[in-house]
Amino acid sequence: MVNSKLIGDYIAEQHSEVCAFIYDLDQLSAHIRTMTSRLPKQVDCYYAIKANSDSAILRALLPHVYGFEVASMGEIEKVRAISQNVPIAFGGPGKTITELTRALTLNVQLYHLESELQLARLNQLAKEQNQLVRCLLRVNPYFDLPSATLQMAGQATQFGIDERELLALLPRLGDYPNIQVEGLHFHCLSNNLDAVKHVTLVRHYLQTASTWAAQFGLTWTTVNIGGGIGVTYQGETEFDFPLYAEQLTLLCRDYPQLHLATECGRYISADCGVYLTEVTDIKLSHNEYFAVLRGGTHHFRLPSSWQHSHPFKIYPRETWHYPFTRPSVTDTAITLCGELCTPKDVLAKNVHVAQLKVADVIVFQKAGAYGWHISHHDFLSHPHPQRLYIKENQFMKNGDDHVAQ
Ligand SMILES: Cc1ncc(COP(=O)(O)O)c(C=O)c1O
């Protein structure tokens, strides 16, 4: 749970319109410790930094994760800014020569290759530098996947190497002598809430990897089972992590020779963050109520990207200093929209509120992952939100990411 007392204190102290992300690093540290303590020793836990790459978040996670999964040169640099040697696994479908060259100079230890061209590029660079570079091959398999909000594999996508292409490539790995293929990488879906189905999927990954290793006479040491563990935005049953970890531990016993890696983003950082925005207007339009917020999808694109009503709490404010009427609604459905000039700027649609007044603050929950970091910040050139961090039960001084770097 994010520290709600400090959030209340923060809102109470604001004199202009409230608009901020607040990240609770105490919650984040406690959560990652619990999570990794449950995982079997055979599993290395990476954090996929695309979910939230603020340096304060990375620093808080550094002592508790095995490494960081990155998908661009910018992300590699963010990780190297906090540690020169923490393991980095470099994924992503678009790795260019420029990025791979820089990655080699920045001590990136592992590459998740997503096409034969990536393999050829990296092999060439490694040969020029007389290096043997470690990699996993990312697969887009043909098997069925459990339903989830996003699916990156098991269907036509730009990600990974199509299973049939991979089977044609495996006998020819000798063509790339400067690449040591250590195993396979699977990241097939996002926001899966079913722990039992998740283990079934991992079992399938391990069986597939073992079958192909035997078929092609390869010795694989590692299978990366991706991220994709979900969080509940709509009040669904939560992902049962203890059950998942227990079943994964049993599964690992069947594959004592294999090392596993996982690279979760959302499940690690979603719950540590909240997004606060003040109600700046309330209006009735064609018989429906709308609340306009000081903020919106340019700060927090997730609800519009996933077309869901994001969970929130209302922080009511009693004082109103103006001579004119304060708009408010009671016991009604209302749509919470942002300040942008597009009808798509909606964070929660037709949601019930007991009471809402202009100048109250909406506190969106579970905003720590894929919030600020996937948003189009400068559309309409509104001021950016403050970004603040709680550590040891107080706001960090100079904790804002821009200052901290
Ligand atoms: C290759 C890869 N790994 C890991 C992740 C993290 O996924 P999640 O945040 O769903 O755990 C992503 C997210 O898109 C990804 O593309």
Side-chain angles (χ1 to χ4, degrees):
M1 283 280 284
V2 176
N3 190 322
S4 51
K5 178 180 178 305
L6 284 186
I7 287 167
D9 293 349
Y10 169 80
I11 294 172
E13 281 165 13
Q14 299 310 300
H15 298 299
S16 56
E17 294 84 11
V18 174
C19 186
F21 277 94
I22 299 181
Y23 303 103
D24 186 335
L25 304 180
D26 299 331
Q27 187 282 343
L28 181 67
S29 301
H31 177 56
I32 189 72
R33 271 201 308 270
T34 309
M35 186 181 159
T36 50
S37 69
R38 289 194 166 120
L39 284 174
K41 294 276 171 289
Q42 227 168 309
V43 180
D44 291 335
C45 181
Y46 288 82
Y47 169 58
I49 83 165
K50 57 178 73 69
N52 184 332
S53 56
D54 287 359
S55 60
I57 298 281
L58 302 185
R59 281 180 214 280
L61 290 172
L62 183 63
H64 308 294
V65 293
Y66 174 82
F68 294 99
E69 189 265 350
V70 303
S72 72
M73 213 153 74
E75 288 193 345
I76 294 171
E77 284 166 357
K78 283 182 174 184
V79 174
R80 281 291 166 253
I82 64 147
S83 166
Q84 287 305 300
N85 46 25
V86 64
I88 294 181
F90 184 16
K95 293 181 214 72
T96 61
I97 289 269
T98 311
E99 283 183 310
L100 290 169
T101 307
R102 181 93 175 116
L104 287 171
T105 62
L106 286 176
N107 185 26
V108 170
Q109 296 91 338
L110 186 65
Y111 294 78
H112 296 160
L113 300 181
E114 304 215 12
S115 70
E116 185 163 359
L117 183 58
Q118 288 192 354
L119 193 62
R121 282 182 182 139
L122 188 60
N123 183 64
Q124 178 65 28
L125 294 170
K127 189 171 157 196
E128 285 164 14
Q129 299 185 14
N130 200 21
Q131 283 195 47
L132 183 63
V133 175
R134 296 166 49 224
C135 87
L136 305 180
L137 299 176
R138 180 172 180 185
V139 196
N140 181 346
Y142 272 76
F143 42 75
D144 287 341
L145 302 169
S147 60
T149 314
L150 288 181
Q151 204 167 310
M152 289 86 171
Q155 61 185 18
T157 68
Q158 66 271 48
F159 304 109
I161 306 174
D162 179 277
E163 173 178 326
R164 292 177 192 148
E165 304 270 323
L166 182 79
L167 295 182
L169 169 64
L170 291 180
R172 296 186 289 105
L173 290 180
D175 295 351
Y176 304 101
N178 288 74
I179 305 289
Q180 182 174 320
V181 177
E182 296 191 341
L184 297 179
H185 174 278
F186 298 84
H187 172 75
C188 295
L189 43 72
S190 209
N191 213 38
N192 180 26
L193 290 170
D194 189 323
V196 173
K197 284 188 180 160
H198 214 75
V199 181
T200 305
L201 193 60
V202 175
R203 180 174 296 111
H204 220 61
Y205 296 160
L206 301 186
Q207 281 167 350
T208 304
S210 301
T211 305
W212 291 345
Q215 186 178 341
F216 295 98
L218 300 165
T219 307
W220 281 338
T221 54
T222 309
V223 174
N224 186 313
I225 60 176
I229 295 179
V231 303
T232 56
Y233 296 114
Q234 304 297 299
E236 311 93 326
T237 310
E238 285 188 13
F239 186 91
D240 189 341
F241 198 86
L243 176 70
Y244 170 66
E246 205 178 287
Q247 296 203 1
L248 194 60
T249 306
L250 294 176
L251 179 59
C252 280
R253 289 192 195 145
D254 295 338
Y255 296 90
Q257 79 291 359
L258 268 186
H259 209 74
L260 271 59
T262 185
E263 49 185 36
C264 290
R266 184 183 318 277
Y267 189 74
I268 293 176
S269 56
D271 279 325
C272 80
V274 287
Y275 174 51
L276 280 57
T277 68
E278 179 166 331
V279 178
T280 58
D281 206 347
I282 292 181
K283 55 177 78 167
L284 187 64
S285 173
H286 292 246
N287 293 322
E288 289 184 29
Y289 282 109
F290 291 82
V292 183
L293 308 174
R294 163 68 266 277
T297 55
H298 48 325
H299 303 163
F300 188 45
R301 193 167 65 83
L302 179 65
S304 111
S305 162
W306 281 17
Q307 292 287 295
H308 73 212
S309 286
H310 206 83
F312 65 92
K313 290 184 179 157
I314 297 170
Y315 184 93
R317 295 211 284 185
E318 297 318 321
T319 42
W320 178 257
H321 301 295
Y322 305 101
F324 39 84
T325 308
R326 182 179 189 182
S328 68
V329 290
T330 307
D331 191 18
T332 189
I334 191 164
T335 294
L336 307 180
C337 349
E339 60 198 345
L340 301 180
C341 303
T342 160
K344 293 191 186 293
D345 191 14
V346 169
L347 290 89
K349 194 166 175 54
N350 277 329
V351 285
H352 179 263
V353 291
Q355 189 179 48
L356 188 66
K357 311 182 289 306
V358 169
D360 286 348
V361 176
I362 304 287
V363 182
F364 288 99
Q365 315 290 301
K366 299 173 188 279
Y370 304 111
W372 174 250
H373 299 81
I374 60 158
S375 304
H376 45 294
H377 307 150
D378 289 320
F379 179 46
L380 253 71
S381 304
H382 284 292
H384 290 179
Q386 272 197 294
R387 278 152 67 220
L388 305 165
Y389 306 86
I390 294 169
K391 191 175 176 185
E392 294 168 8
N393 285 317
Q394 53 185 343
F395 282 102
M396 276 168 75
K397 287 204 178 55
N398 297 334
D400 186 282
D401 200 48
H402 306 290
V403 180
Q405 283 187 11

